[in-house]
Amino acid sequence: MQNTTSSMQDTVALSIDGSHLLERLIELGSIGRNEAGSLTRLAGSDQDKQGRDRLVSWLQDAELTVSVDVVGNIFGTWEADAQRRPLMVGSHIDTVIDAGIYDGCYGVLSGLAAVEALKLLGYVPLRPIVIAAFTNEEGVRYQPDMLGSLAFVGGLDLSTALGAAGTDGTVLGNELIRIGYKGSQALGAVRPAAYLELHIEQGPVLEAEDFSIGAVEVVQGISWQKIVIDGVANHAGTTPISHRHDAGYAAARIVSFLREYAFHAKKPSVATVGTMQFEPGAINIIPAKVTFTVDLRDPDEIRLRDFEFALDRFIQKIAAEEQVTIKAERLARFDPVSFDQTVVSVIEAAAAKREKSCRRMTSGAGHDAQMLARICPAAMIFVPSRNGISHNPLEFTEPEQLIAGANVLLDSMLSLLR
Ligand code: HGY
Ligand code: MN
Ligand code: MN
């Protein structure tokens, strides 16, 4: 796509303002910290509002048109020929509990930095460019995860999205109203021509193999369930083992089954029990009820289904052995997603142009891009995570790696805009 300053782009080594990006990452990462200093900005929370407000002010400073849709997705649009579908660049700014500062925020702020770099150069886009921050990508307080982008692409109806029940008894729609982010823009009012998402890898691959950039071609499948085990409360001292209906024991058996199955299934199947509550929860009462979550992932849909089936069979076995009742409720289920090969190649070419080593890879984490891929060509750019750590305050990526990734995003955007 030619434009008034395309020749300039070819000659001037276009780059984002790296120090400004790093400053904003740190500033946004300072919003939502408790007195102990840990960072949590769960979707729809006061902390989420503070982060959203800060992002909106940055989008406005960049003279983008800010809009919010009915599930709270935030869009900053660089207006151009409205007859042409926009290029969308996005991610999320909600976080997990006790989070790092890069997950999601890095992609949104790098998209903004790329737009600012283009504006500074006098670039005149012939199609709109939209920076997006999607609601509740993490899925910690409300399920499913990627809820905002899923609703945006038409994968979740509005009432179900707004009616999502929080782990804390709240309802997403009410919280969005409370924090002032239940917008008026209809779902899917923006139909992107293509979507790019820059994100930290959150895993060990790029660092272990010494690559600067990941050109992501697949996001693995995700299966989230809530398991409720009902046993019988009884006295910890007087109840013979043979007389027990111990919900805690049954839960422990399921947790170890998941690890053994995933371990013997060989990589890349993974399983995680991240939350577990005991009731009534006393040292000397055999647990009457245990509620916990199961997160299964695999890039192969058949293997993921096999895992779900094996878990279901094991649950039935344990329920019969311990004489407890076990119910499973689906919280989220997304098949593996393959990204658009043209967009993946654009990312590889952009990395090569910057002389950054790049490898194609699968994402172990879920991302908004896997939802956008349902409605337009989409792909992701990864940068390394130190020690492969994420969803942890130790999450870290070297500044020069962050800046390299943002410049590859900028070049990929320009290629797609052409
Ligand atoms: O769970 C995930 O993969 C993402 O961080 N929401
Ligand atoms: Mn993320
Ligand atoms: Mn995350």
Side-chain angles (χ1 to χ4, degrees), residues 75-88:
F75 303 100
T77 302
W78 185 355
E79 304 291 358
D81 177 358
Q83 298 308 310
R84 295 169 185 267
R85 293 167 61 191
L87 169 64
M88 184 178 277

Side-chain angles (χ1 to χ4, degrees), residues 3-5 8-9 78 117-124:
N3 63 63
T4 50
T5 54
M8 266 171 87
Q9 259 79 48
W78 185 355
L118 291 172
K119 277 175 172 266
L120 207 59
L121 260 178
Y123 181 84
V124 179

Side-chain angles (χ1 to χ4, degrees), residues 96 103 137-139 145-146 202 222 224 295 297 364-367 391:
V96 293
D103 179 354
E137 188 280 342
E138 292 295 1
D145 54 343
M146 285 83 73
Q202 302 183 283
I222 300 176
W224 279 7
D295 175 324
R297 313 261 182 133
H367 298 286
H391 286 186

Side-chain angles (χ1 to χ4, degrees), residues 380-401:
M380 294 186 74
I381 305 163
F382 275 176
V383 292
S385 291
R386 187 169 63 184
N387 301 325
I389 288 179
S390 183
H391 286 186
N392 178 319
L394 293 177
E395 184 180 281
F396 181 79
T397 298
E398 294 294 342
E400 53 278 359
Q401 292 172 327

